Amino acid sequence: MALQGSLGHFASGVLLLIFKPYKVGDLVEIGGGQTGTVVGIQVFNTVLQTLDNKRIIIPNSVVTSNVITNISGQGEMGVDMTFGISYGDDIDKAREAIKRVSDACPYVLGTPETLIKVSSLGDSSVNFLVRPWIKSEHYWDTYFYMQENVKKEFDRSGVSIPFPQMDVHLDK
């Protein structure tokens, strides 16, 4: 009875080694929201390294009994981002600003074309879904490049990014 957990981890480890849903170096999300780069696949555990350099050791039975999302294992991928603009701003002007940044990003592939669509009308913003396509290994480079440079391009173009505000009315 005492070996039951260890045997489960071992059997799960063998399944992972046979079916290979990910490999060392892949960016993955494993059930429960653990996200990181795979640095080791052992018989009993899978080891992830997070973006902030934490080491997460996950028992293989937990891995195989949960959803596994291999974020980077396909070679190319889209990076989904949301950018909001004020309701008073011009949608076409904002779309062009985002496109300029995407076109200038050294990591973005030319094909397929970057998706830039209005995705929702929020409480205080018109939200764009932006999905540039990249080589998997440039996920974070692209994400951070786009975040910083879209803000800079919005500033240059006169497009405002709204922030939550609250009006307080006092009655006597």
Side-chain angles (χ1 to χ4, degrees), residues 100-110 133-135 138 141-142 145-146 149:
R100 281 193 297 276
V101 173
S102 175
D103 290 347
C105 180
Y107 311 110
V108 173
L109 304 174
W133 287 86
I134 59 157
K135 295 284 185 190
H138 296 299
D141 298 321
T142 305
Y145 179 96
M146 292 293 293
N149 289 287

mmCIF file of all heavy atoms in Angstrom, residues 100-110 133-135 138 141-142 145-146 149:
data_model
loop_
_atom_site.group_PDB
_atom_site.id
_atom_site.type_symbol
_atom_site.label_atom_id
_atom_site.label_comp_id
_atom_site.label_asym_id
_atom_site.label_seq_id
_atom_site.Cartn_x
_atom_site.Cartn_y
_atom_site.Cartn_z
ATOM 1 N N ARG A 100 1.854 48.682 -37.445
ATOM 2 C CA ARG A 100 3.223 49.199 -37.600
ATOM 3 C C ARG A 100 4.167 48.516 -36.616
ATOM 4 O O ARG A 100 5.284 48.139 -36.971
ATOM 5 C CB ARG A 100 3.258 50.717 -37.399
ATOM 6 C CG ARG A 100 2.791 51.509 -38.601
ATOM 7 C CD ARG A 100 3.134 52.991 -38.484
ATOM 8 N NE ARG A 100 2.480 53.659 -37.368
ATOM 9 C CZ ARG A 100 1.245 54.160 -37.395
ATOM 10 N NH1 ARG A 100 0.520 54.059 -38.500
ATOM 11 N NH2 ARG A 100 0.740 54.754 -36.338
ATOM 12 N N VAL A 101 3.706 48.349 -35.382
ATOM 13 C CA VAL A 101 4.548 47.706 -34.372
ATOM 14 C C VAL A 101 4.769 46.233 -34.725
ATOM 15 O O VAL A 101 5.892 45.727 -34.655
ATOM 16 C CB VAL A 101 3.926 47.846 -32.964
ATOM 17 C CG1 VAL A 101 4.709 47.030 -31.943
ATOM 18 C CG2 VAL A 101 3.876 49.306 -32.555
ATOM 19 N N SER A 102 3.718 45.559 -35.130
ATOM 20 C CA SER A 102 3.836 44.150 -35.509
ATOM 21 C C SER A 102 4.790 43.982 -36.686
ATOM 22 O O SER A 102 5.643 43.085 -36.690
ATOM 23 C CB SER A 102 2.457 43.585 -35.859
ATOM 24 O OG SER A 102 2.566 42.267 -36.327
ATOM 25 N N ASP A 103 4.669 44.840 -37.674
ATOM 26 C CA ASP A 103 5.540 44.767 -38.857
ATOM 27 C C ASP A 103 7.003 45.036 -38.490
ATOM 28 O O ASP A 103 7.915 44.491 -39.123
ATOM 29 C CB ASP A 103 5.090 45.757 -39.932
ATOM 30 C CG ASP A 103 3.770 45.368 -40.589
ATOM 31 O OD1 ASP A 103 3.320 44.213 -40.397
ATOM 32 O OD2 ASP A 103 3.180 46.225 -41.281
ATOM 33 N N ALA A 104 7.239 45.874 -37.493
ATOM 34 C CA ALA A 104 8.602 46.223 -37.093
ATOM 35 C C ALA A 104 9.221 45.196 -36.140
ATOM 36 O O ALA A 104 10.447 45.169 -35.978
ATOM 37 C CB ALA A 104 8.606 47.599 -36.429
ATOM 38 N N CYS A 105 8.405 44.352 -35.531
ATOM 39 C CA CYS A 105 8.909 43.378 -34.554
ATOM 40 C C CYS A 105 9.780 42.340 -35.264
ATOM 41 O O CYS A 105 9.323 41.686 -36.207
ATOM 42 C CB CYS A 105 7.755 42.700 -33.827
ATOM 43 S SG CYS A 105 8.312 41.495 -32.596
ATOM 44 N N PRO A 106 11.020 42.170 -34.828
ATOM 45 C CA PRO A 106 11.920 41.245 -35.519
ATOM 46 C C PRO A 106 11.525 39.772 -35.390
ATOM 47 O O PRO A 106 12.037 38.942 -36.137
ATOM 48 C CB PRO A 106 13.277 41.507 -34.842
ATOM 49 C CG PRO A 106 12.947 42.081 -33.510
ATOM 50 C CD PRO A 106 11.657 42.833 -33.684
ATOM 51 N N TYR A 107 10.632 39.441 -34.473
ATOM 52 C CA TYR A 107 10.262 38.046 -34.236
ATOM 53 C C TYR A 107 8.999 37.619 -34.986
ATOM 54 O O TYR A 107 8.725 36.431 -35.107
ATOM 55 C CB TYR A 107 10.049 37.805 -32.742
ATOM 56 C CG TYR A 107 11.181 38.340 -31.902
ATOM 57 C CD1 TYR A 107 11.004 39.455 -31.086
ATOM 58 C CD2 TYR A 107 12.438 37.756 -31.945
ATOM 59 C CE1 TYR A 107 12.048 39.956 -30.332
ATOM 60 C CE2 TYR A 107 13.490 38.254 -31.196
ATOM 61 C CZ TYR A 107 13.286 39.355 -30.390
ATOM 62 O OH TYR A 107 14.328 39.850 -29.649
ATOM 63 N N VAL A 108 8.223 38.574 -35.473
ATOM 64 C CA VAL A 108 6.940 38.254 -36.101
ATOM 65 C C VAL A 108 7.178 37.740 -37.519
ATOM 66 O O VAL A 108 7.910 38.338 -38.305
ATOM 67 C CB VAL A 108 6.006 39.491 -36.119
ATOM 68 C CG1 VAL A 108 4.744 39.224 -36.917
ATOM 69 C CG2 VAL A 108 5.662 39.899 -34.691
ATOM 70 N N LEU A 109 6.523 36.617 -37.827
ATOM 71 C CA LEU A 109 6.613 36.027 -39.162
ATOM 72 C C LEU A 109 5.673 36.762 -40.112
ATOM 73 O O LEU A 109 4.657 37.294 -39.693
ATOM 74 C CB LEU A 109 6.224 34.547 -39.102
ATOM 75 C CG LEU A 109 7.024 33.684 -38.123
ATOM 76 C CD1 LEU A 109 6.437 32.288 -38.057
ATOM 77 C CD2 LEU A 109 8.495 33.644 -38.522
ATOM 78 N N GLY A 110 5.986 36.766 -41.375
ATOM 79 C CA GLY A 110 5.140 37.432 -42.360
ATOM 80 C C GLY A 110 3.862 36.664 -42.661
ATOM 81 O O GLY A 110 2.839 37.239 -43.007
ATOM 82 N N TRP A 133 2.127 35.889 -35.442
ATOM 83 C CA TRP A 133 2.660 34.530 -35.515
ATOM 84 C C TRP A 133 4.178 34.575 -35.452
ATOM 85 O O TRP A 133 4.817 35.405 -36.098
ATOM 86 C CB TRP A 133 2.177 33.848 -36.790
ATOM 87 C CG TRP A 133 0.736 33.506 -36.667
ATOM 88 C CD1 TRP A 133 -0.332 34.312 -36.948
ATOM 89 C CD2 TRP A 133 0.188 32.304 -36.157
ATOM 90 N NE1 TRP A 133 -1.510 33.669 -36.657
ATOM 91 C CE2 TRP A 133 -1.216 32.417 -36.176
ATOM 92 C CE3 TRP A 133 0.742 31.116 -35.692
ATOM 93 C CZ2 TRP A 133 -2.067 31.419 -35.745
ATOM 94 C CZ3 TRP A 133 -0.110 30.105 -35.268
ATOM 95 C CH2 TRP A 133 -1.490 30.257 -35.290
ATOM 96 N N ILE A 134 4.733 33.643 -34.663
ATOM 97 C CA ILE A 134 6.162 33.666 -34.359
ATOM 98 C C ILE A 134 6.714 32.247 -34.298
ATOM 99 O O ILE A 134 5.970 31.279 -34.268
ATOM 100 C CB ILE A 134 6.401 34.343 -32.991
ATOM 101 C CG1 ILE A 134 5.656 33.572 -31.899
ATOM 102 C CG2 ILE A 134 5.980 35.786 -33.004
ATOM 103 C CD1 ILE A 134 6.186 33.755 -30.518
ATOM 104 N N LYS A 135 8.041 32.133 -34.244
ATOM 105 C CA LYS A 135 8.685 30.875 -33.877
ATOM 106 C C LYS A 135 8.509 30.721 -32.367
ATOM 107 O O LYS A 135 8.648 31.688 -31.614
ATOM 108 C CB LYS A 135 10.176 30.892 -34.218
ATOM 109 C CG LYS A 135 10.472 30.978 -35.689
ATOM 110 C CD LYS A 135 10.237 29.649 -36.355
ATOM 111 C CE LYS A 135 10.662 29.696 -37.808
ATOM 112 N NZ LYS A 135 10.221 28.516 -38.522
ATOM 113 N N HIS A 138 10.442 32.409 -29.472
ATOM 114 C CA HIS A 138 10.408 33.869 -29.304
ATOM 115 C C HIS A 138 9.120 34.365 -28.652
ATOM 116 O O HIS A 138 8.788 35.546 -28.762
ATOM 117 C CB HIS A 138 10.597 34.560 -30.657
ATOM 118 C CG HIS A 138 11.925 34.291 -31.272
ATOM 119 N ND1 HIS A 138 13.112 34.653 -30.677
ATOM 120 C CD2 HIS A 138 12.261 33.676 -32.426
ATOM 121 C CE1 HIS A 138 14.112 34.273 -31.446
ATOM 122 N NE2 HIS A 138 13.622 33.670 -32.508
ATOM 123 N N ASP A 141 9.863 37.106 -25.945
ATOM 124 C CA ASP A 141 10.481 38.255 -26.622
ATOM 125 C C ASP A 141 9.418 39.065 -27.363
ATOM 126 O O ASP A 141 9.388 40.289 -27.296
ATOM 127 C CB ASP A 141 11.538 37.782 -27.630
ATOM 128 C CG ASP A 141 12.677 37.023 -26.983
ATOM 129 O OD1 ASP A 141 13.104 37.423 -25.886
ATOM 130 O OD2 ASP A 141 13.134 36.032 -27.582
ATOM 131 N N THR A 142 8.552 38.349 -28.083
ATOM 132 C CA THR A 142 7.502 39.004 -28.862
ATOM 133 C C THR A 142 6.484 39.669 -27.952
ATOM 134 O O THR A 142 6.082 40.818 -28.173
ATOM 135 C CB THR A 142 6.788 37.983 -29.771
ATOM 136 O OG1 THR A 142 7.765 37.335 -30.580
ATOM 137 C CG2 THR A 142 5.744 38.656 -30.642
ATOM 138 N N TYR A 145 8.015 42.800 -26.375
ATOM 139 C CA TYR A 145 8.252 43.794 -27.416
ATOM 140 C C TYR A 145 6.942 44.483 -27.794
ATOM 141 O O TYR A 145 6.874 45.714 -27.883
ATOM 142 C CB TYR A 145 8.878 43.126 -28.656
ATOM 143 C CG TYR A 145 9.134 44.077 -29.795
ATOM 144 C CD1 TYR A 145 10.385 44.648 -29.978
ATOM 145 C CD2 TYR A 145 8.122 44.420 -30.697
ATOM 146 C CE1 TYR A 145 10.619 45.529 -31.025
ATOM 147 C CE2 TYR A 145 8.350 45.301 -31.739
ATOM 148 C CZ TYR A 145 9.599 45.859 -31.895
ATOM 149 O OH TYR A 145 9.828 46.732 -32.924
ATOM 150 N N MET A 146 5.924 43.688 -28.046
ATOM 151 C CA MET A 146 4.633 44.246 -28.465
ATOM 152 C C MET A 146 4.022 45.114 -27.365
ATOM 153 O O MET A 146 3.505 46.203 -27.652
ATOM 154 C CB MET A 146 3.671 43.125 -28.867
ATOM 155 C CG MET A 146 4.055 42.378 -30.130
ATOM 156 S SD MET A 146 3.952 43.363 -31.627
ATOM 157 C CE MET A 146 2.181 43.627 -31.741
ATOM 158 N N ASN A 149 6.074 48.463 -27.188
ATOM 159 C CA ASN A 149 6.075 49.278 -28.396
ATOM 160 C C ASN A 149 4.690 49.688 -28.866
ATOM 161 O O ASN A 149 4.550 50.738 -29.491
ATOM 162 C CB ASN A 149 6.883 48.584 -29.490
ATOM 163 C CG ASN A 149 8.357 48.630 -29.159
ATOM 164 O OD1 ASN A 149 8.988 49.669 -29.249
ATOM 165 N ND2 ASN A 149 8.908 47.508 -28.719
#
